[in-house]
Amino acid sequence: MRLLIAEDDPKLLKSLMHIFKLNNYATDGVDNGADAFDYALSDEYDGFIFDIMMPEMDGVTLLKKLRSKGITAPALFLTARSEIEQRIEGLDAGADDYLPKPFSTGELLARVRAMLRRKDNFTPDLLTFGAITLNRSTYELLYGDKSQALSGKEFQVMEMLMQNKNVIVTAEQLITHIWGWDTDVDTSVIWVHISNIRKKLEALSAPASIKFVRNTGYLLEVSV
């Protein structure tokens, strides 16, 4: 198994490389997000271990860019205990797991083994609506030979609309589904995400549109 490790703390990076070498993993290690992106594009890795806070490109941005390129290797984030929002954003971006620092060697290896087991069973998870496809493994919207990467929240909105074909979905239903019933998020946030998805559908020239039904909600339609 081959891993790519991106960690800007030189002592921790050296320690991680040593741990995985002792446990019969092949590894490459880099200390910034930009180099990690270049390495990862080779698509020769079975898994990624990324620190969230790195110079040149943070871990969340790095993973989003890789997923948009169709790189599907599983990813584990290393995070500071205070980086709760970043953990959530990372999982939304397509990470498989996260591990707060400091961590034990045993837990690190166990989480990596679990992550790699999931990879062995990986098949693209596709959802279709008319001629458009949502790749639930890479958070991409596809039409023909074109693709548009979605943010985590855009993906969740689009997924719910595609799962409810010919059914109006209310803003309240979207909010509860994505943020939970006790959130302070209001309907204007949904409007922003819908607007972004519409622009991406237009960029694809996709034969689908999101219709706003006054005083009711949103409906995904096939364009004629």
Side-chain angles (χ1 to χ4, degrees):
M1 288 290 183
R2 189 172 190 84
L3 303 174
L4 175 62
I5 304 171
E7 167 59 59
D8 66 335
D9 181 329
K11 291 183 178 179
L12 179 55
L13 178 59
K14 183 177 180 180
S15 178
L16 290 169
M17 299 281 285
H18 180 67
I19 288 169
F20 286 110
K21 181 179 180 180
L22 287 178
N23 286 274
N24 300 313
Y25 291 91
T27 59
D28 288 323
V30 296
D31 61 6
N32 66 82
D35 284 347
F37 179 73
D38 291 338
Y39 271 70
L41 286 181
S42 69
D43 202 19
E44 296 176 352
Y45 297 99
D46 298 291
F48 302 129
I49 300 173
F50 294 155
D51 187 21
I52 282 188
M53 302 306 294
M54 293 188 291
E56 298 191 37
M57 189 187 306
D58 66 86
V60 173
T61 301
L62 167 61
L63 188 59
K64 285 181 178 178
K65 289 185 67 174
L66 291 176
R67 294 297 187 240
S68 74
K69 295 289 186 181
I71 305 297
T72 58
L76 169 71
F77 275 132
L78 303 179
T79 74
R81 292 191 180 277
S82 61
E83 295 170 352
I84 297 174
E85 289 300 321
Q86 290 90 336
R87 292 181 209 169
I88 295 170
E89 188 180 2
L91 293 170
D92 281 343
D96 293 76
D97 201 357
Y98 68 85
L99 184 59
K101 303 174 186 177
F103 47 80
S104 70
T105 297
E107 183 177 10
L108 171 65
L109 291 171
R111 287 180 182 256
V112 169
R113 286 194 297 269
M115 176 180 79
L116 295 176
R117 281 197 298 270
R118 290 193 290 271
K119 174 184 179 293
D120 291 339
N121 296 320
F122 174 81
T123 55
D125 186 1
L126 305 177
L127 180 64
T128 61
F129 179 88
I132 64 172
T133 300
L134 182 66
N135 188 325
R136 291 190 280 202
S137 300
T138 63
Y139 285 29
E140 288 180 294
L141 195 57
L142 311 169
Y143 174 63
D145 59 354
K146 298 179 182 178
S147 67
Q148 284 285 315
L150 303 179
S151 71
K153 296 296 187 292
E154 291 167 5
F155 166 80
Q156 289 175 285
V157 170
M158 192 63 184
E159 181 184 45
M160 191 169 184
L161 291 174
M162 291 178 71
Q163 287 174 327
N164 289 273
K165 298 179 181 179
N166 304 314
V167 175
I168 295 172
V169 180
T170 68
E172 289 73 18
Q173 287 174 318
L174 287 166
I175 289 171
T176 300
H177 173 72
I178 297 169
W179 286 274
W181 63 270
D182 59 346
T183 183
D184 293 328
V185 169
D186 62 35
T187 55
S188 64
V189 176
I190 294 296
W191 182 88
V192 171
H193 290 307
I194 293 287
S195 178
N196 290 338
I197 296 170
R198 283 171 172 158
K199 291 175 183 176
K200 292 178 180 182
L201 286 169
E202 290 176 4
L204 291 172
S205 300
S209 60
I210 301 174
K211 178 182 179 181
F212 174 65
V213 182
R214 187 175 178 83
N215 299 322
T216 308
Y218 298 94
L219 178 65
L220 184 61
E221 295 183 319
V222 174
S223 300
V224 179

Short mmCIF file of all heavy atoms in Angstrom, two decimals, residues 1-5 13-14 16-22 24-30 39 45 47 49:
data_model
loop_
_atom_site.label_atom_id
_atom_site.label_comp_id
_atom_site.label_asym_id
_atom_site.label_seq_id
_atom_site.Cartn_x
_atom_site.Cartn_y
_atom_site.Cartn_z
N MET A 1 0.84 -1.19 0.00
CA MET A 1 0.00 0.00 0.00
C MET A 1 0.89 1.26 0.00
O MET A 1 1.88 1.32 0.72
CB MET A 1 -0.89 0.03 1.24
CG MET A 1 -2.02 -0.99 1.20
SD MET A 1 -3.24 -0.53 -0.03
CE MET A 1 -4.45 -1.82 0.20
N ARG A 2 0.50 2.23 -0.79
CA ARG A 2 1.29 3.46 -0.92
C ARG A 2 0.47 4.65 -0.42
O ARG A 2 -0.67 4.84 -0.84
CB ARG A 2 1.71 3.68 -2.37
CG ARG A 2 2.71 4.81 -2.56
CD ARG A 2 3.22 4.84 -3.99
NE ARG A 2 4.34 5.77 -4.12
CZ ARG A 2 5.60 5.46 -3.84
NH1 ARG A 2 5.88 4.22 -3.46
NH2 ARG A 2 6.56 6.34 -3.97
N LEU A 3 1.07 5.44 0.48
CA LEU A 3 0.40 6.58 1.08
C LEU A 3 1.13 7.87 0.75
O LEU A 3 2.36 7.89 0.64
CB LEU A 3 0.34 6.43 2.60
CG LEU A 3 -0.32 5.18 3.17
CD1 LEU A 3 -0.15 5.14 4.69
CD2 LEU A 3 -1.80 5.13 2.80
N LEU A 4 0.36 8.95 0.62
CA LEU A 4 0.92 10.29 0.51
C LEU A 4 0.60 11.03 1.80
O LEU A 4 -0.57 11.14 2.19
CB LEU A 4 0.33 11.04 -0.68
CG LEU A 4 0.77 12.52 -0.82
CD1 LEU A 4 2.26 12.62 -1.03
CD2 LEU A 4 0.00 13.20 -1.95
N ILE A 5 1.63 11.54 2.47
CA ILE A 5 1.46 12.27 3.72
C ILE A 5 1.84 13.73 3.50
O ILE A 5 2.91 14.03 2.98
CB ILE A 5 2.35 11.67 4.84
CG1 ILE A 5 2.06 10.17 5.01
CG2 ILE A 5 2.14 12.41 6.15
CD1 ILE A 5 3.04 9.47 5.92
N LEU A 13 6.09 15.01 10.55
CA LEU A 13 6.18 14.37 9.24
C LEU A 13 7.22 13.24 9.27
O LEU A 13 6.95 12.13 8.78
CB LEU A 13 6.55 15.40 8.17
CG LEU A 13 6.73 14.85 6.75
CD1 LEU A 13 5.48 14.17 6.24
CD2 LEU A 13 7.15 15.97 5.79
N LYS A 14 8.37 13.51 9.87
CA LYS A 14 9.41 12.50 9.97
C LYS A 14 8.93 11.30 10.78
O LYS A 14 9.17 10.15 10.42
CB LYS A 14 10.67 13.10 10.61
CG LYS A 14 11.84 12.15 10.68
CD LYS A 14 13.07 12.82 11.27
CE LYS A 14 14.25 11.87 11.36
NZ LYS A 14 15.45 12.52 11.93
N LEU A 16 5.77 10.33 11.24
CA LEU A 16 4.75 9.59 10.48
C LEU A 16 5.40 8.70 9.42
O LEU A 16 5.00 7.54 9.24
CB LEU A 16 3.79 10.57 9.81
CG LEU A 16 2.84 11.33 10.75
CD1 LEU A 16 2.14 12.45 9.99
CD2 LEU A 16 1.80 10.38 11.36
N MET A 17 6.39 9.23 8.73
CA MET A 17 7.08 8.43 7.71
C MET A 17 7.72 7.20 8.34
O MET A 17 7.67 6.10 7.79
CB MET A 17 8.14 9.30 7.02
CG MET A 17 7.60 10.52 6.28
SD MET A 17 6.89 10.13 4.68
CE MET A 17 8.38 9.86 3.72
N HIS A 18 8.31 7.39 9.52
CA HIS A 18 8.96 6.28 10.22
C HIS A 18 7.94 5.23 10.65
O HIS A 18 8.16 4.01 10.47
CB HIS A 18 9.72 6.82 11.44
CG HIS A 18 10.42 5.78 12.24
ND1 HIS A 18 11.51 5.07 11.75
CD2 HIS A 18 10.19 5.30 13.50
CE1 HIS A 18 11.92 4.22 12.66
NE2 HIS A 18 11.15 4.33 13.73
N ILE A 19 6.81 5.69 11.20
CA ILE A 19 5.76 4.76 11.67
C ILE A 19 5.26 3.89 10.52
O ILE A 19 5.16 2.66 10.64
CB ILE A 19 4.59 5.54 12.29
CG1 ILE A 19 5.00 6.13 13.64
CG2 ILE A 19 3.35 4.65 12.44
CD1 ILE A 19 4.01 7.14 14.19
N PHE A 20 4.97 4.50 9.40
CA PHE A 20 4.41 3.73 8.30
C PHE A 20 5.45 2.83 7.63
O PHE A 20 5.12 1.73 7.18
CB PHE A 20 3.75 4.66 7.28
CG PHE A 20 2.44 5.22 7.76
CD1 PHE A 20 2.31 6.56 8.08
CD2 PHE A 20 1.35 4.39 7.91
CE1 PHE A 20 1.10 7.06 8.55
CE2 PHE A 20 0.14 4.87 8.38
CZ PHE A 20 0.01 6.21 8.70
N LYS A 21 6.69 3.27 7.61
CA LYS A 21 7.75 2.41 7.07
C LYS A 21 7.89 1.15 7.91
O LYS A 21 8.02 0.04 7.38
CB LYS A 21 9.07 3.17 7.02
CG LYS A 21 10.22 2.35 6.44
CD LYS A 21 11.51 3.15 6.38
CE LYS A 21 12.65 2.30 5.80
NZ LYS A 21 13.93 3.07 5.74
N LEU A 22 7.85 1.31 9.25
CA LEU A 22 7.95 0.16 10.15
C LEU A 22 6.79 -0.81 9.98
O LEU A 22 6.91 -2.00 10.29
CB LEU A 22 8.01 0.63 11.61
CG LEU A 22 9.31 1.28 12.09
CD1 LEU A 22 9.17 1.73 13.53
CD2 LEU A 22 10.49 0.32 11.94
N ASN A 24 5.32 -1.45 7.09
CA ASN A 24 5.34 -1.98 5.71
C ASN A 24 4.47 -1.20 4.72
O ASN A 24 3.91 -1.77 3.78
CB ASN A 24 4.92 -3.45 5.70
CG ASN A 24 5.84 -4.32 6.54
OD1 ASN A 24 7.06 -4.21 6.44
ND2 ASN A 24 5.26 -5.14 7.40
N TYR A 25 4.36 0.11 4.93
CA TYR A 25 3.72 0.99 3.95
C TYR A 25 4.80 1.74 3.18
O TYR A 25 5.81 2.16 3.75
CB TYR A 25 2.82 2.02 4.62
CG TYR A 25 1.57 1.46 5.26
CD1 TYR A 25 1.57 1.06 6.59
CD2 TYR A 25 0.39 1.34 4.53
CE1 TYR A 25 0.42 0.57 7.19
CE2 TYR A 25 -0.77 0.84 5.13
CZ TYR A 25 -0.74 0.45 6.46
OH TYR A 25 -1.87 -0.04 7.05
N ALA A 26 4.59 1.92 1.88
CA ALA A 26 5.42 2.83 1.10
C ALA A 26 4.83 4.22 1.22
O ALA A 26 3.60 4.39 1.14
CB ALA A 26 5.45 2.39 -0.36
N THR A 27 5.66 5.22 1.44
CA THR A 27 5.14 6.57 1.67
C THR A 27 5.95 7.62 0.92
O THR A 27 7.15 7.46 0.69
CB THR A 27 5.16 6.94 3.16
OG1 THR A 27 6.50 6.86 3.66
CG2 THR A 27 4.26 6.04 3.98
N ASP A 28 5.28 8.69 0.55
CA ASP A 28 5.91 9.93 0.14
C ASP A 28 5.44 11.00 1.10
O ASP A 28 4.26 11.01 1.50
CB ASP A 28 5.51 10.31 -1.29
CG ASP A 28 6.14 9.40 -2.33
OD1 ASP A 28 7.31 9.01 -2.14
OD2 ASP A 28 5.47 9.07 -3.33
N GLY A 29 6.32 11.90 1.49
CA GLY A 29 5.96 12.95 2.43
C GLY A 29 6.30 14.33 1.90
O GLY A 29 7.38 14.53 1.33
N VAL A 30 5.37 15.28 2.06
CA VAL A 30 5.59 16.66 1.65
C VAL A 30 5.14 17.58 2.78
O VAL A 30 4.39 17.16 3.67
CB VAL A 30 4.83 17.02 0.36
CG1 VAL A 30 5.35 16.20 -0.82
CG2 VAL A 30 3.33 16.77 0.53
N TYR A 39 1.91 15.79 -6.30
CA TYR A 39 2.20 14.36 -6.09
C TYR A 39 0.93 13.52 -6.31
O TYR A 39 0.96 12.48 -6.96
CB TYR A 39 2.71 14.13 -4.67
CG TYR A 39 4.21 14.25 -4.49
CD1 TYR A 39 4.84 15.49 -4.57
CD2 TYR A 39 4.99 13.13 -4.22
CE1 TYR A 39 6.21 15.61 -4.40
CE2 TYR A 39 6.37 13.24 -4.04
CZ TYR A 39 6.97 14.49 -4.14
OH TYR A 39 8.32 14.60 -3.96
N TYR A 45 -1.49 6.52 -5.48
CA TYR A 45 -1.59 6.33 -4.03
C TYR A 45 -2.88 5.59 -3.66
O TYR A 45 -3.93 5.78 -4.26
CB TYR A 45 -1.54 7.68 -3.32
CG TYR A 45 -0.22 8.39 -3.53
CD1 TYR A 45 -0.10 9.38 -4.50
CD2 TYR A 45 0.90 8.03 -2.79
CE1 TYR A 45 1.12 10.01 -4.72
CE2 TYR A 45 2.12 8.66 -3.00
CZ TYR A 45 2.23 9.65 -3.97
OH TYR A 45 3.44 10.26 -4.18
N GLY A 47 -3.98 5.86 -0.50
CA GLY A 47 -4.63 6.70 0.50
C GLY A 47 -3.82 7.95 0.78
O GLY A 47 -2.61 8.02 0.50
N ILE A 49 -2.99 11.09 3.75
CA ILE A 49 -3.05 11.58 5.12
C ILE A 49 -2.63 13.04 5.07
O ILE A 49 -1.47 13.37 4.79
CB ILE A 49 -2.12 10.78 6.06
CG1 ILE A 49 -2.53 9.31 6.06
CG2 ILE A 49 -2.17 11.35 7.47
CD1 ILE A 49 -1.58 8.41 6.80
#
